[in-house]
Amino acid sequence: MKYSRIAVRLFEGKEVFYDPVYHGRTLKVFGMDNYPDQAIEFFVDAYRKIGYSVVVFDTKGTFERDGFDTIIDLEDAKPGGLDPIKFASKGYFDPYTAATIVQTVYGLDRTLTDKLYSDILSGRVGSVPEALKAGEKYSEVIAESYTLIDQLLYSGDVPVFGENVLVNLGDAHSITLVGTAFLVLSAVFEKRRETLVGLNDAAVLAYTQAGSAGLALLTRPLRRRVTVVASEYAGESLLNLGGPVLLLYHEPDVQGIVYDASGVPPGPMRKYIQKGEGAFIYRTPETINVETGKFLG
């Protein structure tokens, strides 16, 4: 059933729609091999037709690059320009957000975070490398885990973002780098409206504490924003997110895990999903519903 203009039809020959207004603003997609990739591409195309802008985080480096105004190619050994304090100075988010990002990445306590925030406001600290060299207690804590990879991530010019953004993380091998970059950019895109945010593979993005914090920012319900979280891995960090599920072809035990986590009772509602098929699992306050069919993606 279709409730709003941003609903997207899911199955061939069936009036089955994912409608963020009715079902929830975050859709979780689970499948093996390239099925999550195909799903992200399907939703990107569908929401572009509706007039939404698109932001895609791609950990595989295989997403089609056409149609994006800005492409960020992140690599371990190249400058990234993703310094949260510089982002705050450019107005992408407020200085306190920059301080809390540093807190999350380097494990600052509340007192040190407040001191860093004060130094950012006063202009004494204008970047993370400057915070490292400031001679404060927070500098010592940052230094405990600061590496050359961090230095490269923060160096370079701050990117300018268009409406449609692709973040290519396929050439970044450091999971710590990926998590930090994801958190910084999640803060940039947190309040965007009329936007589809696609995360693939979301389990990789959420592997670190910083990445989990970024995932929380982009899956927080927000009007006129839709987030599609796609993954080959049915981990708790994703299964516990609120929102409906699109289950694509996967190993039988993983299908069972997804059904269990979604609250689908044993029996005929737990149809085995074969190649090319999908199961759309969604809740209302009173019921659990499962629709199946041939997935249009």
Side-chain angles (χ1 to χ4, degrees):
M1 186 176 295
K2 183 177 181 180
Y3 293 85
S4 73
R5 77 171 187 88
I6 61 172
V8 173
R9 188 173 179 176
L10 297 178
F11 302 135
E12 289 184 5
K14 290 188 174 184
E15 293 294 306
V16 176
F17 291 84
Y18 163 56
D19 192 331
V21 174
Y22 181 77
H23 296 117
R25 304 283 171 170
T26 298
L27 173 66
K28 298 169 287 186
V29 180
F30 297 103
M32 64 187 299
D33 298 333
N34 65 339
Y35 289 103
D37 311 39
Q38 293 175 10
I40 289 286
E41 292 171 358
F42 169 76
F43 286 107
V44 165
D45 289 342
Y47 277 95
R48 277 178 171 159
K49 291 176 183 175
I50 293 171
Y52 267 44
S53 61
V54 172
V55 175
V56 174
F57 290 87
D58 175 25
T59 66
K60 300 181 179 180
T62 58
F63 202 86
E64 176 60 50
R65 298 165 74 92
D66 290 343
F68 290 96
D69 309 309
T70 305
I71 298 177
I72 305 295
D73 290 306
L74 195 68
E75 298 182 34
D76 299 347
K78 290 187 177 181
L82 303 186
D83 188 314
I85 299 176
K86 291 181 180 178
F87 270 70
S89 69
K90 295 289 187 180
Y92 282 107
F93 43 71
D94 61 86
Y96 193 73
T97 296
T100 56
I101 290 173
V102 177
Q103 174 193 33
T104 302
V105 173
Y106 296 104
L108 305 183
D109 63 22
R110 176 56 55 196
T111 301
L112 297 182
T113 303
D114 287 344
K115 172 58 177 170
L116 174 61
Y117 174 52
S118 175
D119 287 348
I120 295 172
L121 283 180
S122 68
R124 180 171 177 241
V125 169
S127 67
V128 177
E130 288 183 13
L132 176 68
K133 299 174 182 177
E136 299 289 344
K137 183 64 178 177
Y138 60 70
S139 306
E140 298 176 15
V141 177
I142 293 171
E144 290 177 1
S145 55
Y146 194 91
T147 68
L148 175 61
I149 293 176
D150 297 65
Q151 184 73 27
L152 287 169
L153 176 65
Y154 303 135
S155 63
D157 296 331
V158 173
V160 176
F161 300 102
E163 288 295 309
N164 299 286
V165 181
L166 173 64
V167 182
N168 171 28
L169 300 166
D171 295 320
H173 301 289
S174 167
I175 194 66
T176 302
L177 173 73
V178 168
T180 302
F182 178 50
L183 175 56
V184 173
L185 293 173
S186 294
V188 172
F189 302 127
E190 177 188 6
K191 296 180 181 179
R192 278 205 179 188
R193 305 281 185 145
E194 297 196 0
T195 298
L196 170 76
V197 180
L199 312 178
N200 188 35
D201 189 295
V204 175
L205 294 170
Y207 188 76
T208 63
Q209 182 175 340
S212 295
L215 183 67
L217 293 179
L218 293 181
T219 56
R220 180 175 62 86
L222 187 70
R223 290 183 62 231
R224 303 197 307 277
R225 183 180 72 195
V226 183
T227 303
V228 178
V229 176
S231 181
E232 295 183 42
Y233 309 100
E236 289 186 7
S237 63
L238 303 184
L239 288 170
N240 291 337
L241 291 173
V245 172
L246 177 61
L247 175 60
L248 305 178
Y249 179 68
H250 216 309
E251 294 297 318
D253 57 340
V254 177
Q255 292 195 23
I257 289 170
V258 174
Y259 280 130
D260 283 340
S262 302
V264 179
M269 290 180 72
R270 296 194 180 201
K271 180 183 176 182
Y272 178 70
I273 303 304
Q274 302 187 57
K275 293 180 179 180
E277 296 179 341
F280 181 53
I281 307 165
Y282 65 95
R283 291 178 174 274
T284 70
E286 296 180 334
T287 64
I288 182 75
N289 304 276
V290 181
E291 305 276 1
T292 59
K294 184 173 176 58
F295 180 47
L296 287 168

